[in-house]
Amino acid sequence: MATDMDGDGTQGVNVEVALQQVLKTALIHDGLARGLREAVKALDKRQAMLCILAKNCSEAGYTRLIEGLCQEHSIMMLYVEDQMKLGEWVGLCKIDKTGTARKVVKCSCCVIKDIGQDTEEWVTILDYVKTIQKNTA
């Protein structure tokens, strides 16, 4: 159930922007679990709608745990390239006066529990995940 955001150019960019919007909306609606502890709790309770994992996570055990829980509970999974990007997208940073992210904290995993409302971006992400799953199956 894992998918990768290394798409085919424009598709990847659109999915990346859509993912940023969905994460922002989920954060506003308090539907985002950030970090290993919160993510594992949400995955175990089957509250997760989508799990996002950074590829450059240095702990192999961390990655195996998250992938195993997602597979066991049939939760969709999406990979992003960088922990720093994911940390910025989920709000683990300070925004300065010019709107630039400063003091970004790395985030290896986050789980979307509540998106607030169905948006065009959420549908785009679901379609992308389903498309990738069909191609790998």
Side-chain angles (χ1 to χ4, degrees):
M1 298 205 101
T3 57
D4 191 1
M5 284 185 44
D6 295 343
D8 29 278
T10 58
Q11 175 76 15
V13 172
N14 291 336
V15 171
E16 189 172 300
V17 171
L19 181 62
Q20 289 176 20
Q21 288 300 316
V22 168
L23 288 171
K24 184 177 179 181
T25 306
L27 184 62
I28 291 169
H29 291 283
D30 197 31
L32 202 56
R34 303 173 288 189
L36 182 64
R37 184 180 172 88
E38 289 182 27
V40 168
K41 280 184 179 180
L43 291 170
D44 268 345
K45 292 180 182 177
R46 294 187 171 113
Q47 295 174 335
M49 301 170 80
L50 177 69
C51 180
I52 301 147
L53 184 67
K55 282 184 178 179
N56 64 345
C57 178
S58 58
E59 290 291 323
Y62 187 115
T63 305
R64 282 196 312 265
L65 174 65
I66 298 297
E67 288 173 346
L69 285 171
C70 286
Q71 190 173 22
E72 179 182 336
H73 301 307
S74 301
I75 296 169
M76 294 182 290
M77 198 166 172
L78 191 63
Y79 287 97
V80 294
E81 285 298 317
D82 191 26
Q83 294 172 322
M84 293 295 273
K85 276 187 187 178
L86 188 57
E88 183 179 339
W89 294 347
V90 298
L92 296 174
C93 63
K94 299 279 186 186
I95 307 294
D96 66 6
K97 293 178 184 177
T98 62
T100 308
R102 302 280 182 206
K103 297 185 180 179
V104 180
V105 177
K106 293 178 184 178
C107 180
S108 294
C109 179
C110 74
V111 171
I112 297 174
K113 300 185 291 186
D114 180 22
I115 56 168
Q117 57 191 3
D118 284 335
T119 59
E120 186 178 322
E121 289 86 4
W122 178 246
V123 174
T124 301
I125 290 179
L126 290 180
D127 289 343
Y128 178 74
V129 170
K130 289 175 185 174
T131 303
I132 296 300
Q133 286 176 355
K134 285 180 185 178
N135 291 343
T136 58

